[in-house]
Amino acid sequence: MPQITRKYPGKKAGEIYEKVDEVMERIAEKLSLDYQKDGGAKTGKVSKMGVSGAYAVKDEEVVIDLKFPMLVPGSMRDKVQQDIERKLDGLFG
């Protein structure tokens, strides 16, 4: 289960959550994933047919856990992970 962590020094949880929420909504729409979010807890989850990703935001940081069923090829897992990492890296760019 890959875990992605990104730190954003000086950024408050609310700022990070707002940006991560926008990214996750676009990813969910593009890939036809179910998206559930909890603005109060600053968490969210996307899922479809055994593939899931959950994130939690706190001050200066976001952590995303990805879960893939064994049937998903490694190359596809890598592509999804790299796509998310690229979007997180450009969050405040």
Side-chain angles (χ1 to χ4, degrees), residues 19-47:
K19 298 276 192 179
V20 171
D21 176 49
E22 289 173 12
V23 167
M24 295 304 272
E25 275 196 27
R26 284 195 303 265
I27 290 172
E29 189 175 314
K30 179 178 161 185
L31 301 176
S32 300
L33 302 171
D34 294 323
Y35 180 43
Q36 301 168 342
K37 59 184 175 180
D38 181 342
K42 295 185 180 42
T43 61
K45 180 179 181 178
V46 292
S47 61

Side-chain angles (χ1 to χ4, degrees), residues 4 8 22 25 35 42 50 70 77-78 82 85 88 90 93:
I4 303 168
Y8 304 101
E22 289 173 12
E25 275 196 27
Y35 180 43
K42 295 185 180 42
M70 295 302 292
R77 294 177 197 193
D78 291 344
Q82 290 168 1
E85 289 175 341
L88 291 176

Side-chain angles (χ1 to χ4, degrees), residues 9-87:
K11 299 294 183 188
K12 296 285 184 202
E15 294 175 86
I16 298 169
Y17 176 77
E18 192 176 297
K19 298 276 192 179
V20 171
D21 176 49
E22 289 173 12
V23 167
M24 295 304 272
E25 275 196 27
R26 284 195 303 265
I27 290 172
E29 189 175 314
K30 179 178 161 185
L31 301 176
S32 300
L33 302 171
D34 294 323
Y35 180 43
Q36 301 168 342
K37 59 184 175 180
D38 181 342
K42 295 185 180 42
T43 61
K45 180 179 181 178
V46 292
S47 61
K48 182 179 183 178
M49 297 180 348
V51 176
S52 67
Y55 68 89
V57 174
K58 52 188 177 184
D59 284 348
E60 301 190 355
E61 180 180 76
V62 61
V63 177
I64 299 176
D65 288 309
L66 301 173
K67 294 180 185 169
F68 298 97
M70 295 302 292
L71 298 174
V72 174
S75 61
M76 184 178 232
R77 294 177 197 193
D78 291 344
K79 183 181 181 318
V80 169
Q81 185 174 347
Q82 290 168 1
D83 190 37
I84 291 170
E85 289 175 341
R86 196 170 36 256
K87 285 177 173 44

